[in-house]
Structure formats: C-alpha cells, structure tokens
Amino acid sequence: MKKLLLYTLGVAVACFVACSKKELVAHYERPDWLKGNSWEVLEERGNFTLFLEGVERAGFREVLEGKTIATIFAPSDEAFLHYLTSNNWPSVQQVPYDELKKLIGYHVVYYAYNKTMLENYQPNGSEALEPNRAGLYYKHRTRSSDSISLEMDVVAGRQRMVYNKDRFLPVLSNRHFQTKGIDATSNYEFFFGAGTWKGADGFNVANAGISEYAIPTDNGYVYLIDEVLKPLNTLFSFIKEQPNYSNFLEIYDRYRTYTYDEETSVDYGRAGDSLYHVSHGPLPDIASEWTSMGLSGAVSYFDLAGLSYRSFNIFGPSNQALQAFYTEYFSNYYPSLNDVDMLPLLLLLYNHVYEGNIVFPSEIGNNPDIKTFFGTDIDFDPNSDVSAATIAANGTFYGLDKVMVPDMFKSVTGPAFRDPKYRIFMYMLFQTGLYTTLASHDIDYTLFIPTNEAVLETYIGDSQLFWDEGDPRVFGDEQIQVENADGILVPLSINQMNRFVSDHIVYNRISSLNGKSVYRTRNNYGYVYVQDGAVNSTQTYNEAESIPVSTMPGNWYNGNAYQVERTMGSDSRSIKFTLISAESEANVLHPYAEFSKLLSRAGMMEVGNSLSFLFGNRFLLFAPDNETVRQGLENGLIPEDNNELASYLRAYFVSVPDNSLPDYPFPGFGVEGTWETALRRGPMAYRQISLNDRRTALELVDEDGTVIPIVGDFPQVFSDGAVYRINKLLKR
C-alpha cells in the first residue's frame, strides 16, 4: 500500500509539472495581435529597405529589434532615394558613417509615443495635465548627435573637449496651433515652404508629413513619413552658416564660456577626459542642443518639461542693420562695433532674444506673453522685416533687416550706455537694475551722469571708490570696489550702489537751470538745488561748492540728462555731531555756533548722547543764527537757568516721524501745518509751532502768532535732519 501511494503521488506531481509547463509556455507565447518589433514591421512592409540598410550600417538595428522601446519615423524608399540623390550620394554605403549615424539617429526617438501622446505630450503625466499647454511640449529627444568637438577657449588659452548632446526633434501638431489660436498652415509653412503642412489630422514632424500614424510594434510605434528628416542643428550652427548675420554671431560669441560638465564627463568621457558645456553667459545657450540644464539634484534629461517645451528664439539683425545701428549710436565713441563695451552690446542682444515656447510669426506683436528680456514688445513685421528664418533643434531664428533698439539707449540713460567716459556709472545703472526703471515711458526723469573721473574721486563712507577692470574679455569680471575696515578692496554692495545712483536721479524733467528750484531725488530726503545756473546736491550745498554741469544733447523721450564733473550725494554727516564743533569757522554749521553753545550749556550736547531727547528720530531744527542768539542773550530773552534753558531749546526741534511729516518742508512742496515740538508741557501735551508754505518762501508761526521768516534759499540737509535758519527767537 505504501508503494502504491508513492507511485500515485509521483504520477500526480508529474502531471502537475507537465501542465504547469504548458501554461507557462502559453503565457509567454506571442499574442496574435502583435505585428513584431519595429524592424520586422518595416521589413514586412517591403518599401523601407534603404532606411533599414541605413539603420543597420549606423548601428541602430538592435534598437529597432527591441533592445529598448522607441518611436521610429521611417521614410519610404522613394523618399530616401530622393534624399540620397539631392546630396549626391549614389547609395547608403556612400554616406560617410558619421553623417549616416547622425541622420538615422534623428529618426529614432527615445520612448514609445502613440499619436495622442505626440499630439499633446504631457511630461508630468495624467496626474498633472496642463490643458493651457496642450500640444506645446513639442520636441523629443532622438539618438542623433555630433561627435565630441575640440574648441579653443580664448580666455583660458587652451582647447576644450565639448560634448554635443542628443538632438531634439520638433513634432508640430495641429493641437499646438489650436492652443495658440493661430493658423497652422501659414505658420508652419513660413519656415518649411509652401505646401508642406500635412498635419491637419495630427502633426508634421520637422520637415516631414506623416503617411501613416502610430503602427504598434512590440517595442514601440512606427510612423511612416514622406520625407527623410534632415537633422536640425543648433541655432549657433545655423547662424554660423549665414554670412549676412556674421556680425550678430560675432557679438553673441563674445559671451561664450566653457563650463566643466562633471555628469557628462563621468557618463561619456574616456578615462582622464574633461568634457565641457558651451554657454553664452547671461544669454540663451544657442550652442547647446538642450534647452534646459536639468532639475536640481537630478540628471539633466529628467527635466522633460524644460527640454520639450522651452525654445530659444533669436531675432538677429543683419550685418547692414547692425552697421547702421553702430553708426547712429556708437561711431562717435568707438572705432568699430566689436570695440563697443560688452554691457551695451549685451543689452542690445537682450532685446533680440526670447526664452519660452517656440515662437511663430502670427504671435509676433499679438501674444502678450512674448516680450523682450526687458518686458517690452518684440517689434518687427515677419512679412516685411525678415530675410531668413528657420526652426532649429533648440529654437527658432528670424533674420531681421532692422535693429530693435532697447529703450535704455533712447531714454535719459542713453548717454551713459553710448559714451565710455561714463562707463563706471553705466555699470552701476546695470547692476542695480535702475536702468530699466529709468526707461519708463510713464514717468519723466532728470539724470545727472558723472564721468569716470568724478566717480573715482568719490568717497563712500571712509573709502574712495575704485574700479577693477578684470579680464575685458569676460563679461561680469569688472568690479566697483571700496576698502573695508582692514584696508582690503571689496565689491561695493548693491545697496550702496543703489543709494549712490539714486542720488543722481530726479523725478520730473529739469528743462532749465535758471531760477531757484528744489527737486526730490530718488532717495528719501535727498534733494537737488538749482539756483541761477548753479546745481547742488545737499552735500555740495552744505560745502558752498556748486557742481559743474553741462547739458547732454539728445532727444531723450522721458526727460533730460546732464553731465556732472562731481558726483551728487547727500551729506553723510549728522547735525548732532556737526553742531558739537560749530565754533570752528570751517564747520558748515558755524552760523549756529552760538546756538550750539546754548545746547552745550544746557547739557544737551554730551559726546555719545547729544540731543538724546530726539530718540534717534529725523528732525527739523529751526536754528537762530549767531547774531540773533547774541541779541537774545543781551535782551534777556534766553533763560539763564540751565534746566530752564534745556526745556526752552527743545522748542526749536520738531520730530519728523512723531509729526508724520512726509518730507522736509520746501517752498512749494506743501509740507505745512501745526506740529508738536520736542518741548513737553504735560503727560500728553507738547508746545506747538506752525509752518506756512507761501509757495516762494516758508514762514514759522510761534504759538502767540508771531511770524518768523525762514531765512536763506534752502535748508542744510544732513543724514539725521534739516536745519532752517531763522532770525527771531521763539517766546519763552
């Protein structure tokens, strides 16, 4: 019985194993609906022999046979033969190997895409659909690339090995044009020629129409196309082949930089090789096949959204247009266009580039999102101003017959960006970003532009300003410097630079330097005084030295510009500490030396604690001059008791923040009213004083109604307040 049981169990196990094998084989049998891999599908069709010959010779057969999933765009034998003939190659075997690999690889796209996915690729998947960008993720990575190139880095003085990444293939769907609300036929054919748009029911892929969409294979999809796909090069490579835009490219290439690419060196370099990435500094990287440098902390090709959506759009002026621009704007200052400083040229280039989605002609001037770097309209007519155009692997190129002149060349900043004698101030305008503020079409300005010599004679704090040229071939290597406390030259901070430049900016247009006027600068409590042809900042006014000024001729659309031989600036000294030494005849507050003595006698000018009752607030000081104080002492109008004197003197001080004053009072500013002085008369009560703005003069009114005129043309303004001269004493 035991043997019988074992035999029965053995037979059962054998039957189970046999059945399991049959089921396993059946599970992995090829389903009837599959047509085979991409190679087999095309081979069975029989009209793609030249393409398949190229695939095998270029080394891509195993990709088509299923080594990885892929999307294949296959041209027919007729299309391939036409391509060979037009390039004078008698057969596939005669095509140089590198050229063939580049060509065939451009027909092999990474990953498998069906028709719907190519019409409306969504790189973030179904969980993050973007209906407003339907069809706009338009290009896909192929297996086409150029070999590593050797280039001379003129700055480093050595050759660099540059890795050329895979090309991207534009798939321009009808959905793309529908999303943008523009006509597909005219916009596509603007680049590829009449009669080339065939994507009404789907899409065109680069220069080719689709004969049959999305044939399924067991390793992806095959699309039959009516033309061989011509490998698109970078914008840089395309422009390089256009002799009429050589000057534009020469300017653009002044910003070329080489950056070591560690990721690529590890992945693709041979042992000891250092591979570099070519960029153009602050400009779009038109020499790069890829339009994204990747996501932070991830390999670069993970940024599918940036790679498939982003496009570099270049609107390049012709040589003739650039020469005309140079003649009008720079020929008086530079011997040639290539000698012009890199900063104004960068701003010129900024006005001719757009980074975003691919730009089609119907969008120029109509799509509000397509602006220059400065946020201004891209102003040209695609039908009359364009002499060359292409869609490249990384964007579009429009060859213009005109220059789109940036506003900063025509606004009040124009002289600074044209003439190198104002170069240091020009870099300050740029680094602070104030050059865009001053290009406004809505506000008028007056800009006082100091020469390079004037800037270098200026002190910020305790240090003179210095200019470090750096390497003139490298944009951004220059620096404006000051000495720190250790005597080391360090870059001037952006905040310091902003304040310096703002001292030279006046709101409103100063059309005449005659008469007597005061103007606000961009800095709070900063002013420019004009009197009978003399111009002063608050600092030079305190020093009784006017600034030599000359008008800069030009039709600046938003104001006037003046050259100054000395920089404008606020007085960095404080009233508190300047008053301490007012007895010196060289002191700018010497006219109030007797008032300073009274403050000292009352114990209000102690070193380190002067005028402490103001709590560090900005203030107005209505100061009686020396003769008025002497007469007051003789006539017994000033208290003799020091405590009583201390209380009395506070009546001459008005706290700016405690009285919510928006500005210092000047004739015509409308800053007037009844204010509380610093003299307290009770827990919540202060002695008050009034000021009237009579438009051409100011007058003080004491609490008993006595009118006290403000003497002099302008107050003296310091870092902590303003001093107004009076020749009558306040009542005790």
Side-chain angles (χ1 to χ4, degrees), residues 359-376:
V359 174
F360 284 96
S362 293
E363 297 181 273
I364 302 297
N366 296 312
N367 186 334
D369 295 328
I370 298 176
K371 301 284 188 182
T372 69
F373 175 87
F374 308 111
T376 55

Side-chain angles (χ1 to χ4, degrees), residues 330-596:
F330 292 112
S331 59
N332 291 333
Y333 313 110
Y334 295 96
S336 73
L337 184 61
N338 284 330
D339 292 305
V340 176
D341 187 89
M342 291 181 77
L343 176 52
L345 290 181
L346 176 66
L347 301 183
L348 173 69
L349 294 176
Y350 272 159
N351 220 42
H352 293 81
V353 300
Y354 169 73
E355 294 187 59
N357 196 230
I358 184 172
V359 174
F360 284 96
S362 293
E363 297 181 273
I364 302 297
N366 296 312
N367 186 334
D369 295 328
I370 298 176
K371 301 284 188 182
T372 69
F373 175 87
F374 308 111
T376 55
D377 291 334
I378 294 172
D379 181 24
F380 68 87
D381 185 343
N383 297 314
S384 60
D385 295 329
V386 177
S387 295
T390 194
I391 291 179
N394 56 352
T396 63
F397 176 75
Y398 292 81
L400 305 185
D401 295 329
K402 59 181 285 187
V403 169
M404 296 183 289
V405 181
D407 282 345
M408 61 282 312
F409 289 95
K410 300 176 288 184
S411 73
V412 292
T413 61
F417 286 104
R418 298 186 191 192
D419 193 334
K421 72 189 289 186
Y422 312 117
R423 187 164 178 248
I424 300 176
F425 190 71
M426 172 185 71
Y427 273 87
M428 288 186 173
L429 287 169
F430 176 72
Q431 291 181 27
T432 59
L434 289 172
Y435 72 106
T436 57
T437 301
L438 291 167
S440 170
H441 285 262
D442 301 318
I443 302 174
D444 277 358
Y445 296 99
T446 297
L447 182 63
F448 294 95
I449 303 178
T451 62
N452 296 332
E453 291 76 12
V455 173
L456 294 177
E457 292 174 357
T458 301
Y459 279 77
I460 301 290
D462 296 327
S463 172
Q464 191 172 349
L465 290 179
F466 298 87
W467 172 253
D468 180 6
E469 183 68 36
D471 189 331
R473 298 169 299 177
V474 179
F475 177 76
D477 204 39
E478 61 289 319
Q479 280 188 345
I480 302 154
Q481 299 175 321
V482 289
E483 280 186 335
N484 65 13
D486 298 321
I488 299 171
L489 289 177
V490 296
L492 185 68
S493 74
I494 296 300
N495 284 339
Q496 289 173 310
M497 215 177 291
N498 195 308
R499 183 161 186 83
F500 176 88
V501 174
S502 293
D503 275 329
H504 295 78
I505 300 172
V506 166
Y507 291 106
N508 295 318
R509 184 189 299 255
I510 301 178
S511 299
S512 172
L513 300 180
N514 296 320
K516 183 176 71 173
S517 300
V518 58
Y519 301 92
R520 296 179 179 89
T521 72
R522 190 173 179 273
N523 282 326
N524 290 334
Y525 305 105
Y527 308 94
V528 169
Y529 301 153
V530 174
Q531 187 175 24
D532 298 328
V535 175
N536 282 104
S537 66
T538 52
Q539 179 182 17
T540 61
Y541 181 76
N542 290 347
E543 297 169 354
E545 295 180 7
S546 61
I547 299 174
V549 174
S550 56
T551 303
M552 291 179 167
N555 186 24
W556 320 116
Y557 65 77
N558 64 345
N560 291 320
Y562 294 91
Q563 174 184 300
V564 289
E565 305 296 336
R566 177 175 174 177
T567 56
M568 316 287 282
S570 301
D571 201 320
S572 61
R573 295 170 292 188
S574 69
I575 298 171
K576 296 177 182 180
F577 294 105
T578 306
L579 269 176
I580 291 176
S581 55
E583 287 187 66
S584 168
E585 291 187 3
N587 189 291
V588 296
L589 291 181
H590 181 67
Y592 314 105
E594 296 299 326
F595 185 75
S596 174

Side-chain angles (χ1 to χ4, degrees), residues 253-376:
D253 224 21
R254 288 179 67 178
Y255 305 89
R256 174 179 285 251
T257 57
Y258 293 85
T259 305
Y260 172 62
D261 192 332
E262 181 178 7
E263 175 192 324
T264 301
S265 297
V266 171
D267 291 344
Y268 302 104
R270 296 172 301 181
D273 282 350
S274 294
L275 302 181
Y276 284 78
H277 165 75
V278 177
S279 64
H280 282 88
L283 293 164
D285 296 339
I286 62 172
S288 172
E289 292 82 3
W290 290 15
T291 54
S292 170
M293 292 302 293
L295 301 172
S296 177
V299 290
S300 55
Y301 59 78
F302 277 14
D303 185 17
L304 296 177
L307 291 168
S308 57
Y309 177 86
R310 200 166 179 223
S311 172
F312 302 142
N313 300 278
I314 307 299
F315 315 107
S318 67
N319 295 346
Q320 295 82 1
L322 282 173
Q323 185 60 38
F325 169 76
Y326 160 76
T327 300
E328 180 176 356
Y329 287 88
F330 292 112
S331 59
N332 291 333
Y333 313 110
Y334 295 96
S336 73
L337 184 61
N338 284 330
D339 292 305
V340 176
D341 187 89
M342 291 181 77
L343 176 52
L345 290 181
L346 176 66
L347 301 183
L348 173 69
L349 294 176
Y350 272 159
N351 220 42
H352 293 81
V353 300
Y354 169 73
E355 294 187 59
N357 196 230
I358 184 172
V359 174
F360 284 96
S362 293
E363 297 181 273
I364 302 297
N366 296 312
N367 186 334
D369 295 328
I370 298 176
K371 301 284 188 182
T372 69
F373 175 87
F374 308 111
T376 55

Side-chain angles (χ1 to χ4, degrees), residues 695-714:
R695 308 302 296 172
T696 58
L698 301 176
E699 61 183 24
L700 207 59
V701 181
D702 204 352
E703 60 182 355
D704 67 348
T706 301
V707 174
I708 304 173
I710 305 295
V711 180
D713 296 315
F714 306 107

Side-chain angles (χ1 to χ4, degrees), residues 120 122 129-137 175-176 179-180 309:
N120 181 18
Q122 294 287 319
L129 294 176
E130 299 177 81
N132 61 325
R133 287 192 172 186
L136 301 189
Y137 293 99
R175 188 75 176 274
H176 179 108
T179 297
K180 290 185 171 181
Y309 177 86

